[in-house]
Amino acid sequence: IYVNEKNDLKGSLPTELSILTSLVEFGINYNDVFPEGTIPSLVFGMTQLTSLTFEYTNLKGQVPSSLVQLSNLEFIFLQHNNFIGTIPDELFESTPPNLHWLDLSFNKLTNGIDEIIDSFNTLTNLRILQISDNDLDGTIPTTIGLIESLEQFWIDRNNDITGNIPSEIGQLTDLNTFVFSMTGITGEVPSEVCLLKSSSSLKDLFCTSNSCNTTQTPNCCNSTDISICPDNIFL
């Protein structure tokens, strides 16, 4: 079930939805159907869900720890809401093991980026991690190299993420997109990104001028098929 258009829906989700125990995909976007600003408990009874999407739905408070009850989730899209604070420990400790794609972008989360990476580095199926435009801080830990399945990594618009890009980024042999626009990341882009380029993996490494102009880029930056040069800035 998907309601993806802005239909000016209001009120609460009907309790009858709770009988859909075999539902595998559920999404409501651009509608105001959570008057309390929280995901109702009936959703967490849909234990067969593999995809959950609530975008632009005015959700607020902390990301619910009850998500761990949905152990079959492969896709979690909760971007463009008003979540605040830190991602609960329960979600880190019991993340759905088959999670492929997590998008918590455009909220107000305050975790350290190192905490997030260290908590997710045991996930063997995580391909896309999007946590852009929050209030994250800290530095990218060397354990980023342990998320070997990662294909896309988006941390842009988090001004308090600082430090260097660790060389262990080169261990992500499936990585094709790394976006760190509008962060405090400085220093040298590690030469290991050239190995990713030569393996036909990495195509897009996006940074803003405030980062790129103070960041040394490796020789492979001169190639036109990889967007890591200051002349190829994507915001």
Side-chain angles (χ1 to χ4, degrees), residues 2-203:
Y2 282 100
V3 182
N4 288 324
E5 299 295 333
K6 186 174 182 180
N7 298 311
D8 293 324
L9 296 179
K10 297 185 182 299
S12 303
L13 295 182
T15 57
E16 289 80 2
L17 284 173
S18 62
I19 68 173
L20 302 178
T21 55
S22 298
L23 194 67
V24 294
E25 297 183 358
F26 186 36
I28 299 178
N29 302 328
Y30 299 94
N31 284 283
D32 190 4
V33 294
F34 304 117
E36 302 299 323
T38 57
I39 300 175
S41 59
L42 67 88
V43 172
F44 303 115
M46 301 175 179
T47 55
Q48 298 305 307
L49 284 179
T50 61
S51 178
L52 182 68
T53 305
F54 295 137
E55 181 181 359
Y56 284 106
T57 50
N58 294 317
L59 291 169
K60 60 185 179 181
Q62 193 175 37
V63 175
S65 59
S66 299
L67 284 171
V68 300
Q69 298 177 31
L70 305 177
S71 59
N72 292 310
L73 280 177
E74 299 176 10
F75 306 94
I76 301 176
F77 303 115
L78 297 175
Q79 65 269 36
H80 292 283
N81 282 292
N82 296 302
F83 288 118
I84 61 174
T86 59
I87 300 171
D89 292 340
E90 295 90 338
L91 188 55
F92 282 141
E93 294 166 0
S94 301
T95 305
N98 292 319
L99 187 64
H100 293 323
W101 190 338
L102 175 64
D103 193 341
L104 293 171
S105 300
F106 297 94
N107 283 285
K108 300 175 183 177
L109 301 174
T110 57
N111 291 80
I113 186 64
D114 52 338
E115 176 189 11
I116 293 174
I117 297 303
D118 287 342
S119 298
F120 287 160
N121 63 33
T122 58
L123 295 178
T124 57
N125 295 297
L126 186 62
R127 298 174 183 171
I128 301 177
L129 178 58
Q130 293 178 295
I131 43 180
S132 306
D133 206 328
N134 279 282
D135 295 319
L136 307 178
D137 59 16
T139 60
I140 302 173
T142 58
T143 49
I144 183 65
L146 298 178
I147 313 181
E148 296 179 352
S149 58
L150 202 61
E151 298 175 4
Q152 295 188 24
F153 184 36
W154 301 66
I155 58 171
D156 51 304
R157 300 177 186 273
N158 287 286
N159 295 330
D160 293 327
I161 294 179
T162 58
N164 300 330
I165 300 171
S167 61
E168 285 76 7
I169 200 84
Q171 297 174 22
L172 305 180
T173 55
D174 291 326
L175 189 68
N176 59 64
T177 301
F178 175 30
V179 184
F180 60 99
S181 305
M182 298 179 69
T183 65
I185 291 175
T186 57
E188 183 178 359
V189 175
S191 59
E192 283 76 5
V193 300
C194 291
L195 298 178
L196 296 179
K197 173 191 170 295
S198 63
S199 67
S200 300
S201 171
L202 187 65
K203 295 298 182 184

Side-chain angles (χ1 to χ4, degrees), residues 213-231:
N213 285 346
T214 59
T215 301
Q216 295 180 339
T217 51
N219 291 333
C220 65
C221 172
N222 296 324
S223 175
T224 57
D225 61 353
I226 184 169
S227 304
I228 63 174
C229 302
D231 292 335

